[in-house]
Amino acid sequence: MSPSAPEIEDRVRDVLDRIAREAGRAGRSPDSVRLVAVSKTVEPGRICRAAVAGAGLFGENYIQEARDKIAELSDLAVSWHFTGHLQTNKVRYAVRLFDLIHTVASLRLAVEIDHRARLENKVQDILVQVNVSGEEAKDGIAPEEAEALVRKIADLAHVRLRGLMTMPPYNHAPKDSRPHFAALAALARSLDGLSIPGVQMNELSMGMSHDFPVAIQEGATLVRVGTALFGERS
Ligand SMILES: *Cc1c(COP(=O)(O)O)cnc(C)c1O
């Protein structure tokens, strides 16, 4: 980082300010949108500084890295979310470490989370990841498969579905993300309308460093921001 680059503390405060401002502009209360500081590859000392500056939720993508860092930062009163691709054989760790898993995109994974959560005496909060853009390379279920998956997840006693997550293709122009965010919000509304017992659609995890203001305009409740806080990842 060059000497003139803003400090982490300034960046955290700036992003929190922008979130509150954007929520206000959208006629939403500032605390209806929460910052998930995506701290993959970021060392514990810098995570600690971000937490002291006001970030309360952190997103990690790799289980082994997260285990080490969360253990090292166990004194921090923050919440950890899993935002990476979760492999079935890592679920037991994910259930121990994370308050919310953003990336559930198969019944098989949900069933394994349910199994491990039962062993841990926990009800695990999850989001279903939806591939709204239909882009081949992206994780997530197709929108038309969401209802069937959600109905099956509703039967799992140790999993609680809190909402949806999406990661649209990278668009240089943030406004190009808008249709994808709007589609996720519309899908959440339609699933909510089914009134499936045990299913809540309170959370919409969408928007990253370059497009989180657009995501907030479209109803995001969790924005996942990495680079804008911690700088480019190496
Ligand atoms: C890395 C990552 C982010 C953060 O991306 P930035 O562009 O650095 O803000 C958000 N969501 C997911 C799922 C990620 O893997």
Side-chain angles (χ1 to χ4, degrees):
M1 226 187 277
S2 70
S4 61
E7 298 287 338
I8 285 185
E9 289 80 359
D10 296 325
R11 294 178 187 231
V12 169
R13 282 188 286 265
D14 176 60
V15 169
L16 288 171
D17 280 353
R18 288 169 67 198
I19 289 171
R21 221 180 313 134
E22 207 57 55
R25 226 178 262 159
R28 306 176 53 195
S29 90
D31 57 9
S32 67
V33 187
R34 293 183 295 159
L35 169 65
V36 180
V38 178
S39 50
K40 61 189 177 210
T41 78
V42 176
E43 61 272 28
R46 302 174 72 225
I47 293 176
C48 192
R49 286 172 58 189
V52 170
L57 299 177
F58 289 85
E60 287 284 336
N61 284 39
Y62 310 106
I63 295 289
Q64 184 60 52
E65 180 192 338
R67 284 175 79 187
D68 296 344
K69 294 197 307 198
I70 293 172
E72 193 170 333
L73 293 168
S74 59
D75 286 347
L76 276 189
V78 299
S79 175
W80 297 92
H81 289 191
F82 188 73
T83 49
H85 177 81
L86 185 56
Q87 292 166 291
T88 316
N89 63 350
K90 302 277 172 63
V91 166
R92 90 181 92 145
Y93 305 111
V95 163
R96 285 180 201 150
L97 294 170
F98 297 104
D99 293 324
L100 182 65
I101 298 172
H102 287 230
T103 49
V104 177
S106 72
L107 182 60
R108 179 163 167 260
L109 186 59
V111 166
E112 180 65 13
I113 293 171
D114 181 64
H115 170 62
R116 294 293 171 180
R118 182 162 49 74
L119 298 178
E120 299 286 329
N121 243 322
K122 178 180 184 184
V123 175
Q124 178 69 55
D125 283 344
I126 66 163
L127 305 177
V128 161
Q129 181 174 1
V130 184
N131 181 353
V132 282
S133 66
E135 198 191 22
E136 285 268 338
K138 279 280 183 311
D139 284 336
I141 57 153
E144 53 281 10
E145 293 167 4
E147 180 182 339
L149 178 60
V150 163
R151 286 189 185 281
K152 290 187 181 116
I153 288 174
D155 292 335
L156 303 174
H158 290 267
V159 167
R160 183 168 47 210
L161 181 57
R162 306 292 316 276
L164 304 179
M165 176 273 205
T166 199
M167 188 153 161
Y170 184 85
N171 296 298
H172 284 281
K175 69 174 171 41
D176 293 339
S177 300
R178 186 183 302 282
H180 305 300
F181 297 151
L184 193 74
L187 180 61
R189 275 194 301 276
S190 84
L191 293 170
D192 221 16
L194 301 172
S195 301
I196 304 167
V199 170
Q200 304 169 3
M201 285 289 142
N202 299 335
E203 303 288 358
L204 282 180
S205 169
M206 55 191 197
M208 303 173 30
S209 289
H210 69 295
D211 58 8
F212 73 82
V214 176
I216 293 170
Q217 291 158 20
E218 296 300 328
T221 64
L222 294 165
V223 290
R224 308 180 310 267
V225 178
T227 311
L229 301 170
F230 300 112
E232 295 294 334
R233 288 176 291 272
S234 45

